[in-house]
Amino acid sequence: MRTQVAIIGAGPAGLLLAHLLYKAGVECVILERRDRAYVESRIRAGILEQVTVDLLRQVGVHDRMDREGLPHGGFALSADGELTRIDMAALTSKSVMVYGQTEVTRDLIDAAIARGIPLLFEAEDVALHDVTSARPVVTWRQDGEEKRLEADFIAGCDGFHGVARASIPADVLRTFERVYPFGWLGVLADVPPCDHELIYASHERGFALASMRSNTRSRYYVQVANSEKLGDWSDERFWDELCVRLGPDAASRVTRGPSIEKSIAPLRSFVAEPMRHGNLFLAGDAAHIVPPTGAKGLNLAATDVAYLAEGLAGFYRGDSSGIDAYSARALARVWKAERFSWWFTSLMHRFPDTDAFGRRMQMAELGYLRGSPAAQRVLAENYVGLPLH
Ligand code: RFL
Ligand code: PHB
């Protein structure tokens, strides 16, 4: 088999890249390790920046998002229960869209199949070969058979634990990492959200987040130590802890119900540089991870592939400047989102080694945000997403 771009991974990065290439008339094949049901049921991100919404519109995969997504012009910060609204729409003239990653993935898969974009699930033991040559090759096993795909380029969109980044020699890659001493325990429940907008809560017992997937489905998180076990968190314990951290005002509006999903996600900041090695390009979580506090992970995956698709389309028109600039261009945006996600995480969470002085510093900064439109604007500008350059 032969194609122009071999895409490893059918997460948001790989799927959106395939549609952008399709629109530009560039051929691709997507290889995904898991089966379709698994990929479509992974529960993750919930917030789309305006640039991500625009990219989905650009590729024509937006009908259901426009029908079912919830545009949000603001969110609240809670400091020990005291609420401050950040009016994103007034501060930046932009908003975000609440539309789950699960839905985005389903829409992109349905559209890929409808458009005849080759999308192969259950590709086992994917391996990359000769990535610095003009003819890179991908091999894998499917239904017990060895398969082989020749391509001009390989796009490594296979997430943090994928094979693409691992195929780059260690002396070529420089990595930067911060592992946080806590994770997020998340619960999904078919109950109405406690507010029509998100609430990010900093409490002396730790962070909490009130989010949603629709007007009838809530997504809540509480910060937990890395040593916590899921089995120790009954639904009742979760709701009690959430309500304490959100404070009495928001807690009075929380509707409790049985969890339909419950999981713990560790928090990490990570960047690998450069995002290109020969004819292999990394995009999305394969190249970088942000802690979820700023809601940037899925959005960075989308903007990486926007740059990459533009570069690859240019290459097939005889201009390789876009692919040559890809890594530096993407990393410039990635580092700004890394900074914001790290800052917002540091402001809102309880760190095990934070003393009384550290907590006062967090509360002083939250107080400053409460009273300063300038500070709110900095937060809002980053939250709605920096422009694509
Ligand atoms: P993905 O989604 O991990 O997809 C990678 C795909 O590659 C496949 N794969 C392989 N395929 C073939 N061969 C191999 N060897 C392979 N190894 C892996 C995998 O099966 C998978 O299908 O990466 P991608 O596309 O880069 O997308 C990144 C986003 O998924 C991620 O950044 C976000 O989910 C992060 N995130 C959030 N991002 C936001 O923008 N807004 C949010 O509100 C937000 N909330 C979150 C989040 C992530 C969370 N968790 C669970 C880490 C909330 C949480 C709790
Ligand atoms: C979510 O709804 O899953 C969500 C929302 C905002 C975040 C992270 C996750 O910052």
Side-chain angles (χ1 to χ4, degrees):
M1 238 203 299
R2 187 167 164 78
T3 191
Q4 290 177 313
V5 182
I7 299 176
I8 318 298
L15 290 164
L16 181 59
L17 176 61
H19 284 282
L20 289 164
L21 293 177
Y22 171 86
K23 286 277 164 191
V26 177
E27 265 176 34
C28 70
V29 173
I30 313 172
L31 300 175
E32 165 60 47
R33 184 169 57 140
R34 305 287 193 159
D35 63 30
R36 181 172 174 181
Y38 182 95
V39 171
E40 289 188 346
S41 62
R42 256 189 314 229
I43 292 164
R44 285 179 160 186
I47 303 290
L48 307 182
E49 292 176 2
Q50 187 64 52
V51 283
T52 306
V53 169
D54 291 345
L55 285 163
L56 289 166
R57 295 211 173 109
Q58 191 183 318
V59 298
V61 184
H62 56 97
D63 289 349
R64 199 160 68 95
M65 173 182 75
D66 286 340
R67 269 198 322 273
E68 297 177 15
L70 306 172
H72 278 197
F75 63 89
L77 292 178
S78 162
D80 281 344
E82 192 179 1
L83 292 163
T84 304
R85 180 164 187 265
I86 306 296
D87 189 339
M88 290 184 284
L91 292 159
T92 69
S93 309
K94 289 191 199 153
S95 54
V96 297
M97 178 81 90
V98 174
Y99 190 61
Q101 178 170 338
T102 317
E103 312 311 317
V104 174
T105 306
R106 268 179 49 197
D107 295 348
L108 288 169
I109 290 176
D110 285 346
I113 291 167
R115 288 173 173 173
I117 297 172
L119 168 49
L120 309 180
F121 289 101
E122 298 180 79
E124 290 171 50
D125 298 332
V126 169
L128 316 188
H129 312 272
D130 308 327
V131 298
T132 54
S133 80
R135 277 290 158 89
V137 168
V138 184
T139 57
W140 72 100
R141 250 181 333 103
Q142 197 139 32
D143 304 325
E145 266 181 61
E146 299 295 326
K147 306 273 185 177
R148 177 186 163 90
L149 175 66
E150 283 180 24
D152 299 329
F153 300 103
I154 301 176
C157 302
D158 51 351
F160 185 65
H161 301 286
V163 287
R165 193 180 68 253
S167 313
I168 302 179
D171 60 345
V172 172
L173 269 194
R174 182 150 186 224
T175 60
F176 304 82
E177 186 168 38
R178 178 147 307 177
V179 177
Y180 298 88
F182 43 75
W184 282 15
L185 168 61
V187 158
L188 191 67
D190 277 330
V191 291
C194 67
D195 197 283
H196 66 290
E197 292 178 344
L198 271 62
I199 303 173
Y200 289 84
S202 169
H203 188 271
E204 58 177 6
R205 290 177 62 84
F207 172 77
L209 171 60
S211 181
M212 67 194 73
R213 289 292 174 273
S214 69
N215 291 326
T216 54
R217 181 168 282 189
S218 301
R219 181 69 166 156
Y220 290 109
Y221 298 94
V222 296
Q223 170 191 351
V224 294
N226 282 336
S227 54
E228 288 283 346
K229 301 273 172 290
L230 202 54
D232 293 334
W233 283 87
S234 63
D235 286 0
E236 199 187 351
R237 179 176 175 206
F238 179 86
W239 292 116
D240 287 346
E241 188 64 34
L242 176 76
C243 286
V244 169
R245 294 188 192 183
L246 289 177
D249 184 8
S252 68
R253 288 175 274 124
V254 168
T255 308
R256 299 180 181 216
S259 61
I260 51 175
E261 196 262 358
K262 196 189 280 167
S263 55
I264 296 180
L267 263 62
R268 180 195 304 270
S269 298
F270 174 87
V271 180
E273 293 183 348
M275 288 169 62
R276 175 185 188 178
H277 180 54
N279 287 321
L280 166 64
F281 297 89
L282 301 179
D285 279 15
H288 41 74
I289 296 287
V290 284
T293 325
K296 291 280 165 263
L298 164 62
N299 295 294
L300 279 181
T303 48
D304 282 357
V305 298
Y307 292 139
L308 183 55
E310 195 182 307
L312 290 168
F315 173 85
Y316 289 106
R317 290 192 311 265
D319 172 10
S320 54
S321 62
I323 55 172
D324 291 341
Y326 168 69
S327 175
R329 211 176 160 201
L331 282 166
R333 196 167 191 283
V334 165
W335 275 113
K336 290 187 192 119
E338 288 284 348
R339 185 209 66 81
F340 172 66
S341 304
W342 160 82
W343 168 79
F344 201 23
T345 301
S346 309
L347 174 64
M348 301 303 290
H349 289 73
R350 179 194 163 125
F351 286 71
D353 55 0
T354 297
D355 54 10
F357 180 82
R359 180 65 189 152
R360 284 288 197 277
M361 288 294 101
Q362 288 180 325
M363 293 304 282
E365 188 159 3
L366 286 161
Y368 174 55
L369 272 161
R370 187 175 174 76
S372 164
Q376 290 180 11
R377 186 140 175 237
V378 172
L379 168 57
E381 176 181 59
N382 281 278
Y383 192 85
V384 297
L386 298 176
L388 270 183
H389 286 299

